[in-house]
Amino acid sequence: MSYLGTTFALAGSLGLFLYGMKVLSDGLQQAAGQRMQKVLAFMTGRRLSAILTGFGITAIIQSSSATTVMVVSFVNAGLLTLKQAIGVSMGAAIGTTVTAWIVSIIGFSLKISAMAIPAIGIGFLFSLLKWEKLKHWGTAVLGFGLLFLGLDFLTKSMPNLSAETLAFIGSFSGKGYVSIFVGAGVGTAITMIIHSSSASAAIVLTLAHGNMINYEMAAAMILGANIGTTIDAVLASIRGKPTAKQTALAFVLFKMIGTTWALILFYPLLSLVNFITPGTDITNRLAMFHTIFNTFNTILFFPFVNQYAFLLGKIIKDSGSVKELNHYTLVYSSGTFQNAPEMNILRAEKEIRDMAGIVSDMYDRISEVLSTLKDNPEKHNAVTKLTEELQNKEQYADEMREELTHFLMECTRQQLNEKSKRRISRLLRIIADLENMTDDCLTVGLVLERSVLKDRLFTGASMKTLAPYARLVGEFLDFVQTRLGRALTPEETEQAKLIEDRINKVRNKLRKYGQKRIEAGENVKTELLFIDFIRRLENLGDYCYHISNALAHLDD
């Protein structure tokens, strides 16, 4: 076979392997569904919980790079702390070794084609079924078959490399630390190019199985792959906050320091592997080497997570200052869509809670100014300043709606299960309602400003009757904000209905109160502003009730 033909065969084999990994990952994520989305609750526990979570996610999505990119994104969004992210990254390092074990145990011990083709056929048939759960497991089996078919092609294509290429690779084998450093460099470069340490490990195992490189050089290439996999985390953090950059640096230093001690203790480490797996195939020993390295490195760092996080904070400083609202930008990496689409919903829900916080801030400022206007000699300046603040926040909320809508629509273009798609539909509705609430808050502020500038401020009696109504609307806002991101219980759904009914009853009383004051000869324009104010507050209550209904069916 020509050199060009061999190159295309290798590229195609690797592409099929990587595509199989993606299909397998998509199927498993869709089958896992919302259990994947609830994994953050487990992350927020102790360090060991974070490590186990990182291991589990990476074992499912088959890529530590994807896990760390996702973690950087979550830290940037405030979903995870730096300490939690460090633990997850450690677990991801161990989780990525699962692929090497699958390849070594199944890929070279059995006749791959005899298992891959039936898996593709069975998986494809099951993926056509209407039963959603079985359909997703069928997709996972299909991906499993494609992965091993790609590995089979890769194994058959490697021996067709030209004699010059084989001589070049072989020339570095058996030369002690020269082989080790060259192997580490090659492993790093390959992983940076293909963005997958799991795929790099499969290539290394294939080369070693075909006797194209010796045991020492293969082990060194695996160490190099562990460094190369950090490139995605670095790229994901470039536009992120200081905490995101700290997280990326944590992963880089974790791998760099680990590789350094592993290179220093390289031969004792190999001896330990040989002692644990005596007389086994080279691919099994390499898989064990990969596991021992990442496990020992995690054990080394585990007791010093707090100190490690402190050091990272010193290297990349985070002022912690709260910036004024300017323009909203949702920073994320395309890798989080491609490798962990189900988990993106968590990111969106966190941003939605922030959006609800803006609504709450706007309403609190209105209530604060309203309660002090009567005896405030600077009432004109106070309402003018209020409307400026509300306009800025309303504009910011408009940008949030646009960005979050685009983000969630991108999520729907990925492989999601039907329940997640329905969840996204309800989240889009909630986003629209929250943005409409900011519009109404701004309108309330403008009504209040108009009443002051035209000297038509509500009288003390009107203000007294309005205060309980405003507090009731504020309570409904708090009720909704504290429950965003989870489905309401039947009791909470009933509670939301009761609050809505109370708001409607008080609204009717206040409207009648305003009409009676007009009939009694009070200033018509003042009382009409009062009624308009009531109507705007009622709109906020209506939107809260709409959101409550969406939350009640969030998990349907």
Side-chain angles (χ1 to χ4, degrees), residues 310-380:
F310 177 79
L311 175 63
L312 294 167
K314 290 294 184 181
I315 297 174
I316 300 177
K317 296 187 180 298
D318 182 6
S319 62
S321 59
V322 179
K323 295 182 179 180
E324 292 294 325
L325 293 180
N326 189 6
H327 293 288
Y328 177 80
T329 303
L330 181 61
V331 179
Y332 57 88
S333 168
S334 59
T336 60
F337 285 122
Q338 298 168 2
N339 296 292
E342 294 282 353
M343 300 294 282
N344 286 298
I345 299 175
L346 287 170
R347 172 74 188 277
E349 288 176 348
K350 190 271 175 186
E351 299 295 328
I352 291 171
R353 288 194 293 273
D354 289 347
M355 192 174 184
I358 291 175
V359 177
S360 183
D361 287 344
M362 293 175 75
Y363 190 79
D364 288 345
R365 282 290 293 130
I366 292 171
S367 300
E368 178 186 343
V369 172
L370 184 63
S371 64
T372 59
L373 277 181
K374 182 181 178 182
D375 301 319
N376 187 354
E378 299 292 330
K379 62 181 68 175
H380 286 201

Side-chain angles (χ1 to χ4, degrees), residues 176-365:
Y177 270 97
V178 173
S179 300
I180 295 171
F181 287 117
V182 171
V186 172
T188 301
I190 291 175
T191 308
M192 285 184 172
I193 292 171
I194 65 178
H195 293 268
S196 173
S197 60
S198 297
S200 297
I203 292 173
V204 172
L205 264 62
T206 303
L207 289 170
H209 181 72
N211 295 318
M212 284 174 257
I213 56 175
N214 64 11
Y215 178 36
E216 288 81 4
M217 190 170 186
M221 289 178 71
I222 286 178
L223 289 179
N226 279 277
I227 297 176
T229 194
T230 63
I231 184 66
D232 291 299
V234 173
L235 294 175
S237 70
I238 289 175
R239 293 194 302 144
K241 299 174 184 175
T243 49
K245 293 180 172 63
Q246 290 168 359
T247 303
L249 180 61
F251 192 53
V252 172
L253 291 180
F254 174 69
K255 292 293 189 177
M256 292 291 293
I257 294 172
T259 302
T260 300
W261 72 253
L263 288 174
I264 294 172
L265 301 175
F266 188 74
Y267 287 105
L269 195 57
L270 290 185
S271 298
L272 175 62
V273 172
N274 293 335
F275 175 77
I276 296 174
T277 55
T280 58
D281 185 82
I282 187 173
T283 56
N284 291 334
R285 280 182 283 151
L286 288 171
M288 179 60 74
F289 176 84
H290 196 192
T291 302
I292 287 178
F293 162 69
N294 281 296
T295 303
F296 277 20
N297 202 34
T298 297
I299 293 173
L300 178 66
F301 275 79
F302 182 77
F304 306 105
V305 169
N306 292 337
Q307 293 85 346
Y308 189 36
F310 177 79
L311 175 63
L312 294 167
K314 290 294 184 181
I315 297 174
I316 300 177
K317 296 187 180 298
D318 182 6
S319 62
S321 59
V322 179
K323 295 182 179 180
E324 292 294 325
L325 293 180
N326 189 6
H327 293 288
Y328 177 80
T329 303
L330 181 61
V331 179
Y332 57 88
S333 168
S334 59
T336 60
F337 285 122
Q338 298 168 2
N339 296 292
E342 294 282 353
M343 300 294 282
N344 286 298
I345 299 175
L346 287 170
R347 172 74 188 277
E349 288 176 348
K350 190 271 175 186
E351 299 295 328
I352 291 171
R353 288 194 293 273
D354 289 347
M355 192 174 184
I358 291 175
V359 177
S360 183
D361 287 344
M362 293 175 75
Y363 190 79
D364 288 345
R365 282 290 293 130

Side-chain angles (χ1 to χ4, degrees), residues 337 341-342 344-345 404-418 420-426 428:
F337 285 122
E342 294 282 353
N344 286 298
I345 299 175
L404 285 171
T405 300
H406 176 74
F407 181 80
L408 286 172
M409 292 306 295
E410 284 291 327
C411 289
T412 62
R413 297 187 181 100
Q414 308 303 315
Q415 296 292 330
L416 295 171
N417 62 34
E418 291 303 318
S420 294
K421 289 178 181 177
R422 291 193 296 270
R423 190 181 187 91
I424 286 178
S425 177
R426 292 184 175 96
L428 288 170

Side-chain angles (χ1 to χ4, degrees), residues 428-438 543 546-547:
L428 288 170
R429 173 182 163 185
I430 290 172
I431 291 169
D433 284 340
L434 288 172
E435 195 277 325
N436 288 334
M437 290 171 78
T438 64
Y543 284 125
H546 295 163
I547 294 173

